[in-house]
Amino acid sequence: MGGGVTEDVPPPDGPADGPDGPDTPEGPARPEDEPPRQGGPPGRDGAAGGDAGESPDPPDWRREFAEEARSERPDLARLCLLIGAVADPTVTRHVLTEAEIELDRLAGLVPYATRIVGDWATALAGLLGGREGFEGVPADYQRLESSLLHEVLRRRRGLPILLSVVWMEVARRAGAPVYGLGLPGHFVVGFGDPADLNLADPFAGGRAMTGPDAELLVTSATGEALDRSMLRPAEPGAIVLRVLNNIRAWAAPRPERSDVALWAVELSLLLPSHPARLRYERAELLVQRGDFLTGAAEMEAYAQVMDAVDPESATTVRRRAQAARARLN
């Protein structure tokens, strides 16, 4: 009923401290934890106090996320940046604008000749994985900011899917025929005709991948053979849902961060397409956080939906709703 979480999984050797010291899983790192790389986006000095010229009313990031997600052509970078704005209360509109400017700057560094010769994977590996230092290490799986695009642009580190978003957005701005590929357990990027499997792994600094490499990756993650259906380019909505799934997976073993799990579920529910079980997961989180009445009401609403497809599960959900109400007595 609560459902599993599809997530990017850490490398087999498990998490380890990366080059910037021990992990701090409690939440996004502050800028003083690590200075921005030279040439990267400016810091957010003074951001907490608001930006000059901004409205005194705080932005409604969730409303903006919902509007963008349901637009005719959702902007992947904007959706990922809005996730960061919901996650990090110090983020202002100026911070998001700086992140967009940084993506534009990086796109401007792609050699113009690449548009002629078409070797996008090599050019972007040299720029993003080499010169700019975008890559991942096992410790990144233990950090929430590894799933927040504005922090990934600042730190040059992140989960495979966020590093892939950087690659995709830079490549798209530079004119490349780029797409994202959500393989089980690992997200990569591809160029040109998806049938050609011209792939690169941004988490590994842009290492080129072949068809057999993709098959080995899938087999290692799932124990099953690569299915051709896994090679379909991912749509923006599916990518954003997977980012939010990773955030939910980060929060799951950290009950003290149920606030993170809750907003990740609530943003997922704003997407046009999402698993119905997320409504039950939200109800469970509300009960866990002490909002027994609202959680019980949402469980009962979910049970009504389940009546038609799984009456036994619906009965179980109703019992849990009753138990949640009883905690008020």
Side-chain angles (χ1 to χ4, degrees), residues 41-310:
R44 64 177 81 151
D45 293 343
D51 298 311
E54 284 195 357
S55 167
D57 296 327
D60 188 346
W61 300 125
R62 297 187 187 216
R63 178 185 57 78
E64 293 186 28
F65 180 90
E67 291 175 352
E68 187 64 45
R70 295 176 182 275
S71 65
E72 184 176 352
R73 298 183 65 183
D75 186 313
L76 177 59
R78 177 163 170 74
L79 286 169
C80 289
L81 288 171
L82 287 169
I83 290 173
V86 173
D88 186 346
T90 70
V91 166
T92 64
R93 200 170 299 282
H94 179 65
V95 172
L96 303 192
T97 300
E98 284 185 322
E100 293 271 12
I101 291 172
E102 174 66 356
L103 291 170
D104 291 341
R105 184 189 75 83
L106 292 168
L109 297 178
V110 178
Y112 183 80
T114 309
R115 296 166 175 79
I116 301 172
V117 299
D119 193 0
W120 293 101
T122 299
L124 287 165
L127 171 64
L128 298 177
R131 176 177 168 184
E132 294 291 332
F134 285 95
E135 63 178 352
V137 297
D140 293 327
Y141 286 89
Q142 300 302 310
R143 304 183 69 143
L144 176 57
E145 65 265 34
S146 296
S147 291
L148 308 179
L149 181 55
H150 69 289
E151 288 286 355
V152 172
L153 287 168
R154 181 181 71 84
R155 298 176 60 242
R156 270 38 183 179
R157 293 262 299 278
L159 295 190
I161 191 168
L162 265 296
L163 291 168
S164 293
V165 168
V166 171
W167 271 59
M168 292 166 62
E169 289 299 309
V170 170
R172 180 181 63 80
R173 285 164 167 78
V178 64
Y179 60 93
L181 191 60
L183 297 173
H186 203 71
F187 203 98
V188 298
V189 297
F191 298 91
D193 187 341
D196 294 337
L197 289 182
N198 180 17
L199 308 176
D201 182 1
F203 191 75
R207 178 178 61 85
M209 290 182 61
T210 63
D213 290 332
E215 292 178 4
L216 179 60
L217 191 153
V218 170
T219 301
S220 299
T222 68
E224 300 178 0
L226 175 69
D227 187 284
R228 298 300 296 183
S229 65
M230 300 175 184
L231 300 177
R232 284 196 288 265
E235 296 296 326
I239 295 172
V240 172
L241 181 59
R242 185 159 170 166
V243 169
L244 292 166
N245 285 349
N246 285 334
I247 292 172
R248 289 162 53 220
W250 177 88
R254 299 175 171 89
E256 74 280 4
R257 297 313 310 268
S258 62
D259 60 316
V260 173
L262 183 59
W263 63 250
V265 167
E266 290 175 341
L267 289 183
S268 299
L269 289 169
L270 295 176
L271 296 171
S273 178
H274 57 261
R277 69 177 183 273
L278 289 179
R279 297 195 175 277
Y280 179 74
E281 184 173 329
R282 180 175 186 271
E284 284 188 313
L285 286 165
L286 289 171
V287 171
Q288 178 183 336
R289 291 175 59 78
D291 191 349
F292 303 121
L293 285 178
T294 306
E298 295 211 4
M299 286 183 181
E300 288 164 350
Y302 181 76
Q304 289 181 348
V305 174
M306 293 295 292
D307 277 331
V309 293
D310 190 348

Side-chain angles (χ1 to χ4, degrees), residues 10-37:
D13 54 348
D17 287 345
D20 56 354
D23 299 330
T24 53
E26 290 73 21
R30 300 276 61 81
E32 59 267 21
D33 293 342
E34 179 182 341
R37 185 183 297 268

